[in-house]
Amino acid sequence: INLSHMPMAYVSLFVVAIVVAVGSGYFMTQTYMSEIYFKKSIDAIRTNNGRDVYTNLQKAVQKAPYNEKYRSQFAQVNLLLANNIAQQKDMTDDQRRAAAQFIQQSIAEAKSLVALNPNRASNWNTLAVIYRNIINVAQGADAWTIASYQEAIKHDPANPLLQLNLGG
């Protein structure tokens, strides 16, 4: 097609190509940076550095908020940090507040995970595991655990571990 008599078409095509290239570059950069932060969090696990694990996972979730893997890991790390604080003898008020914040963040991340993909049984299982771990801390957590396991079983009825965990 000869578009020489239509210079505006060339300009429009060029502008569209630039917008697509810049947009693609932005999203690819965000995805790449989130993977870098996730890798840093894994490296921090190996060196037993909880602060770096937390901050790098938090950055990975911020860069790629729709990535289920990051949200699942972040929810579990929050719960792990809360458990580590709760195991200390003679906790201070600041430590109690920090543990409560980690628990709240863990629940929020697990709920976000379920909201991202409510048809995935593993997402419901993650939420159920978090609720199960706070049964002694939060009133009603036992009912939330049962409801989450039932939802997970609904999406993966052939998985015997979900049914075993529900029975437990």
Side-chain angles (χ1 to χ4, degrees), residues 149-157 162:
Y149 274 128
Q150 287 173 337
E151 196 65 33
I153 290 168
K154 184 172 91 175
H155 295 292
D156 189 6
L162 294 174

Side-chain angles (χ1 to χ4, degrees), residues 80-98:
L80 195 77
L81 291 171
N83 282 338
N84 284 344
I85 292 172
Q87 290 177 356
Q88 296 177 6
K89 294 181 180 178
D90 301 325
M91 287 187 353
T92 65
D93 288 339
D94 287 342
Q95 289 173 324
R96 282 189 183 89
R97 277 192 294 276

Side-chain angles (χ1 to χ4, degrees), residues 50-102:
R51 184 178 305 271
D52 284 350
V53 172
Y54 181 85
T55 56
N56 285 313
L57 270 175
Q58 186 178 40
K59 289 177 183 178
V61 168
Q62 289 171 349
K63 293 284 183 189
Y66 300 109
N67 189 311
E68 294 175 35
K69 173 178 65 173
Y70 301 158
R71 288 212 180 260
S72 175
Q73 292 299 315
F74 195 45
Q76 293 173 23
V77 163
N78 275 287
L79 182 63
L80 195 77
L81 291 171
N83 282 338
N84 284 344
I85 292 172
Q87 290 177 356
Q88 296 177 6
K89 294 181 180 178
D90 301 325
M91 287 187 353
T92 65
D93 288 339
D94 287 342
Q95 289 173 324
R96 282 189 183 89
R97 277 192 294 276
Q101 287 175 337
F102 283 132

Side-chain angles (χ1 to χ4, degrees), residues 1-164:
I1 300 173
N2 184 2
L3 298 176
S4 61
H5 64 284
M6 301 171 103
M8 190 54 102
Y10 288 134
V11 172
S12 299
L13 272 164
F14 179 73
V15 168
V16 168
I18 293 296
V19 167
V20 167
V22 169
S24 297
Y26 172 77
F27 288 114
M28 288 185 340
T29 302
Q30 294 297 314
T31 302
Y32 184 71
M33 290 302 298
S34 67
E35 285 292 327
I36 288 174
Y37 286 126
F38 188 71
K39 170 73 167 85
K40 286 181 178 181
S41 73
I42 292 171
D43 293 342
I45 289 171
R46 291 186 184 132
T47 61
N48 203 20
N49 187 339
R51 184 178 305 271
D52 284 350
V53 172
Y54 181 85
T55 56
N56 285 313
L57 270 175
Q58 186 178 40
K59 289 177 183 178
V61 168
Q62 289 171 349
K63 293 284 183 189
Y66 300 109
N67 189 311
E68 294 175 35
K69 173 178 65 173
Y70 301 158
R71 288 212 180 260
S72 175
Q73 292 299 315
F74 195 45
Q76 293 173 23
V77 163
N78 275 287
L79 182 63
L80 195 77
L81 291 171
N83 282 338
N84 284 344
I85 292 172
Q87 290 177 356
Q88 296 177 6
K89 294 181 180 178
D90 301 325
M91 287 187 353
T92 65
D93 288 339
D94 287 342
Q95 289 173 324
R96 282 189 183 89
R97 277 192 294 276
Q101 287 175 337
F102 283 132
I103 289 170
Q104 289 172 347
Q105 183 67 31
S106 180
I107 293 169
E109 288 301 322
K111 285 182 176 180
S112 295
L113 178 65
V114 168
L116 283 175
N117 189 352
N119 295 322
R120 180 172 277 170
S122 63
N123 293 351
W124 286 102
N125 185 52
T126 300
L127 183 60
V129 167
I130 289 168
Y131 282 144
R132 184 181 69 204
N133 279 290
I134 62 168
I135 283 177
N136 295 330
V137 177
Q139 187 176 11
D142 53 346
W144 300 329
T145 303
I146 292 169
S148 297
Y149 274 128
Q150 287 173 337
E151 196 65 33
I153 290 168
K154 184 172 91 175
H155 295 292
D156 189 6
N159 187 343
L161 290 175
L162 294 174
Q163 297 175 7
L164 183 66

